[in-house]
Amino acid sequence: MSSSPDELLRIEGIRKTFPGVVALDSVDFDLRRGEVHVLLGENGAGKSTLIKMLSGAYRPDSGKVVVDGEEVRIQGAQDAARLGIATIYQEFNLVPDLTVAENIFLGRQPRRFGMIDRKRMEADAAGLLERVGVDVSPRARVRELGIARLQMVEIAKALSLDARVLIMDEPTAVLTSGEVDKLFRIVRRLREDGVGIVFITHHLEEIAALGDRVTVIRDGRSVGQVPATTPEDDLVRMMVGRSIELQYPRERTGTGAPLLSVDGLTRDGVFHDVGFEVRAGEVVGIAGLVGAGRTEVARAVFGADPYDRGSVAVAGRRLPRHDVNAAMAAGIGLVPEDRKGQGLVLDASVEENLGLVTLRAATRGGLVDLKGQRTAAAGMAERLGVRMAGLGQHVRTLSGGNQQKVVIGKWLLADIRVLILDEPTRGIDVGAKVEIYQLVNALTAAGHAVLMISSDLPEVLGMSDRVLVMAQGRIAGELSADEATQDAVMALAVSTPTGTPTGTPTAATTSDTDTDTTNNSATSGEGSRGH
C-alpha cells in the first residue's frame, strides 16, 4: 500500500484469530489528515476487532500498524493515547457519578501544590466543550445528561488527549435527526482542524453526507476502497456479496381478529389515553420523536412498567397490570431497544439465552430438560442463521445483528402471539436488517401480530400495514400504509394532540432517550425487567 504525505495511520496485512474464528485476515486500511474515512461492513465482518486493535484492546497476530511513517506496537490504551488515537465506542466509557470535567480529565487531572486544581480543570473542560459546541456545565453530573450530550462529552474527552485520530463507532445510532446534524457539524470542524476520523455507520445515507473514502470489510477481509459518493446499491453489494433488491420486503397478507387490544392506557405524566389494536397477520408501526412515550407504552403493555388507568387485552382476555408473567403467559413477547442491557444475559451462552423464556416450561420436578432445550436452541439458531462458533459461545462476543437474532429467537421458541419490537434494527447492518424483516413476514404469515417501534422512519413506512404516530405521550394520529409518508408522519409527530394540556409533563421531560433503564436485569422475565 503506497503512502500519502498526509497519512496519519496505515494498517497492512493485519490478521487476528480467536478460538475457532478468523476475525481479520490480511486487512489493509489507511487514514489521512483532515478526512473522514468510513469503515463499512456487516455485523461480524471484523470492524469492531479492527478498532479494538487500534485502541490497544487486542493485539494482532500478524501484520503491521504504521503511525506517522513509523511501525508501532499498540500494547494497551496508554500506547494508543500516546500516539494520539482515541476511540468513542457505542457504549460510552464515562463514570455516571462524576462531573463532566472529572470524566474528561479522569486520571489526568491538573494539579497544583500536589492537589487537584479543580478551577483549572473546569476551565479547560469548558474550553473543550465550547470547541465541540455543547452547552453543558463542566460541573454537571454525567448521569444527568442525555445520550446526545454524552456523545459530545466523549468527543471533548478525546480532544483533551490531543487526539489526531478519532475513531467513532456508530455515533448516530441513538441520536435524533437534529442531534445527528449537530454531530456532523462537529465532525466537519474537526476535519478542518486536521483530525483524521474513522467513522463506522450502518446508515448508508450518512456516508455521502459526511465521508471522503470508504473501506469495506467482508468476512474479515478488506474487499475494496471506494469514494464516499459510491452509489448505495454498490456499497451494499460489496458488503454482503450480493445485491438486495428490496430493502423493506414487506409481504402483506390478510388480517384476522384483533390479538392485542389497548384501551385508554394512561400513566400520569408519561402517556395518556393510548388506545389501538393489532390484528393477526398485521404489523402496526409506532412512530414519533424521541421522548414521545413510545417505549414507555410498549413496556406498560408487556407488564414491565406500571400504568394508572386503561386496559390491555390479548385475544379478548384482559391482562392484570404490571405483570410480566401474565403477559408472557398470554403470548406477548418484547424485544427491547436496549438488547444488551435488557434483552440478553451477555455472559451466558447462545444456547442459554435462546432458552430463557422457555426455561420454566422445560422444567419438571426441579429438573430442566437440557437435551430438549439444546435441540430447540440448535434448531432456532440454524433457522435464524446465527453466525457463531457454536451454541456454547458467549452472547457478548456475537455481532449486534446476531445478538438481535438471539433476542428474537427466544420469543419464537416460546410461540408467542404478539411480538413487540422496539428499535429492532438499531446498530444492525443492511443485510441483517433484511433478515429480520423476513422474520417479521414469517410471523405475520403464520397469523401472529407485530407491534414495531422505530426511530428509523423509512423502516416504519416500509414494514407497517398501519402507522400510529405518538406526540407528547398521546396518539396524535393513525395512517394507513397508503397514507403514511415521511411528511405526514412528521406533521403528526410535531403536533400537539387534542386533549394535551399546556405544560403537561410527558416522557420527553423525564428522558431524552425514550428508555427506562432503572433496572438492567436481562433474565427471562420471571418478574424481572429483562426481556
Side-chain angles (χ1 to χ4, degrees):
M1 179 185 295
S2 59
S3 62
S4 160
D6 291 327
E7 183 182 270
L8 282 173
L9 169 75
R10 185 171 78 254
I11 292 170
E12 291 185 7
I14 286 291
R15 179 179 172 85
K16 179 65 179 176
T17 61
F18 298 100
V21 178
V22 178
L24 295 173
D25 189 12
S26 300
V27 170
D28 297 327
F29 179 83
D30 70 288
L31 180 69
R32 300 168 188 162
R33 289 178 178 83
E35 81 160 343
V36 177
H37 195 149
V38 178
L39 192 58
L40 189 64
E42 290 189 277
N43 292 108
K47 304 185 303 295
S48 294
T49 302
L50 181 59
I51 64 173
K52 285 180 180 178
M53 225 167 301
L54 291 175
S55 65
Y58 295 156
R59 300 176 190 177
D61 298 332
S62 60
K64 64 180 180 178
V65 178
V66 177
V67 176
D68 291 332
E70 295 185 8
E71 185 173 353
V72 298
R73 294 187 182 277
I74 305 176
Q75 308 282 0
Q78 289 184 338
D79 286 343
R82 177 177 51 81
L83 293 166
I85 301 171
T87 303
I88 300 175
Y89 294 102
Q90 290 184 56
E91 291 81 24
F92 299 137
N93 189 25
L94 299 171
V95 182
D97 290 325
L98 297 183
T99 67
V100 169
E102 288 167 339
N103 269 281
I104 289 175
F105 292 103
L106 188 62
R108 302 173 292 111
Q109 299 93 332
R111 294 182 177 271
R112 188 181 184 196
F113 306 125
M115 304 291 289
I116 292 176
D117 188 345
R118 188 166 294 277
K119 184 176 180 180
R120 178 185 164 193
M121 179 175 70
E122 291 176 353
D124 290 347
L128 290 164
L129 294 167
E130 183 179 0
R131 183 179 173 189
V132 300
V134 59
D135 181 19
V136 62
S137 169
R139 298 180 181 180
R141 298 282 173 186
V142 161
R143 68 166 59 256
E144 300 167 359
L145 305 182
I147 292 292
R149 288 184 171 182
L150 291 176
Q151 185 83 261
M152 304 312 171
V153 171
E154 282 278 20
I155 295 174
K157 181 179 177 181
L159 296 180
S160 76
L161 295 165
D162 293 324
R164 298 177 303 131
V165 174
L166 181 58
I167 302 169
M168 307 183 79
D169 186 8
E170 290 287 347
T172 65
V174 292
L175 302 184
T176 65
S177 59
E179 291 165 348
V180 169
D181 290 341
K182 185 174 182 179
L183 175 66
F184 279 16
R185 288 195 296 271
I186 293 168
V187 170
R188 292 186 183 108
R189 194 180 309 147
L190 294 173
R191 178 169 58 187
E192 290 171 3
D193 291 343
V195 176
I197 297 162
V198 181
F199 197 88
I200 298 175
T201 182
H202 288 311
H203 297 288
L204 299 183
E205 69 278 4
E206 294 177 356
I207 295 173
L210 190 66
D212 297 299
R213 291 186 293 157
V214 182
T215 289
V216 180
I217 296 181
R218 185 173 76 233
D219 297 331
R221 291 176 172 268
S222 44
V223 296
Q225 186 183 105
V226 294
T229 53
T230 300
E232 290 184 8
D233 289 348
D234 292 342
L235 293 175
V236 170
R237 195 172 296 111
M238 291 177 70
M239 284 173 60
V240 302
R242 66 187 189 280
S243 63
I244 294 177
E245 305 302 333
L246 290 176
Q247 191 172 0
Y248 303 105
R250 176 69 183 130
E251 297 172 3
R252 292 181 170 85
T253 56
T255 59
L259 283 183
L260 176 65
S261 302
V262 177
D263 184 35
L265 208 65
T266 299
R267 181 178 175 185
D268 292 333
V270 181
F271 52 82
H272 185 79
D273 197 26
V274 173
F276 57 86
E277 288 184 340
V278 188
R279 295 177 172 270
E282 184 179 38
V283 176
V284 172
I286 302 185
L289 301 178
V290 171
R294 300 165 300 165
T295 289
E296 287 82 356
V297 168
R299 291 179 59 85
V301 169
F302 185 65
D305 290 345
Y307 54 90
D308 299 307
R309 293 176 295 283
S311 65
V312 177
V314 175
R317 179 184 172 190
R318 184 166 176 168
L319 302 182
R321 67 182 63 180
H322 200 193
D323 190 334
V324 169
N325 289 326
M328 291 170 60
I332 300 181
L334 171 65
V335 175
E337 63 172 346
D338 180 8
R339 60 175 170 264
K340 290 185 178 180
Q342 300 172 359
L344 296 165
V345 180
L346 293 176
D347 290 323
S349 67
V350 172
E351 176 185 334
E352 290 165 335
N353 273 277
L354 283 170
L356 284 175
V357 178
T358 55
L359 187 61
R360 174 181 287 181
T363 303
R364 294 287 185 274
L367 297 176
V368 180
D369 179 9
L370 294 177
K371 183 178 179 181
Q373 287 283 86
R374 186 173 299 112
T375 300
M380 183 56 66
E382 182 178 1
R383 173 185 167 188
L384 300 183
V386 178
R387 294 175 63 179
M388 58 184 181
L391 286 173
Q393 182 176 350
H394 282 186
V395 160
R396 180 187 298 279
T397 62
L398 296 181
S399 68
N402 286 299
Q403 287 178 347
Q404 191 74 330
K405 289 178 183 179
V406 172
V407 179
I408 295 172
K410 71 180 183 182
W411 291 113
L412 297 183
L413 282 173
D415 195 27
I416 40 83
R417 292 175 166 183
V418 179
L419 184 61
I420 303 173
L421 297 170
D422 193 356
E423 303 291 358
T425 63
R426 175 176 287 169
I428 293 175
D429 65 77
V430 64
K433 282 183 179 182
V434 172
E435 291 176 346
I436 287 174
Y437 299 150
Q438 289 168 340
L439 287 175
V440 170
N441 286 335
L443 280 168
T444 54
H448 301 287
V450 175
L451 181 66
M452 185 175 71
I453 299 164
S454 178
S455 299
D456 185 343
L457 195 46
E459 176 175 82
V460 174
L461 300 179
M463 290 301 296
S464 301
D465 301 305
R466 288 184 291 124
V467 178
L468 307 173
V469 185
M470 288 193 68
Q472 301 182 45
R474 293 174 179 261
I475 300 290
E478 177 181 321
L479 301 168
S480 68
D482 293 333
E483 297 169 329
T485 63
Q486 294 204 30
D487 289 344
V489 171
M490 288 308 299
L492 289 169
V494 299
S495 68
T496 300
T498 304
T500 302
T502 302
T504 298
T506 67
T509 64
T510 58
S511 167
D512 64 357
T513 62
D514 208 18
T515 310
D516 180 353
T517 54
T518 305
N519 184 329
N520 278 343
S521 170
T523 51
S524 63
E526 300 292 324
S528 74
R529 296 174 60 133
H531 318 302

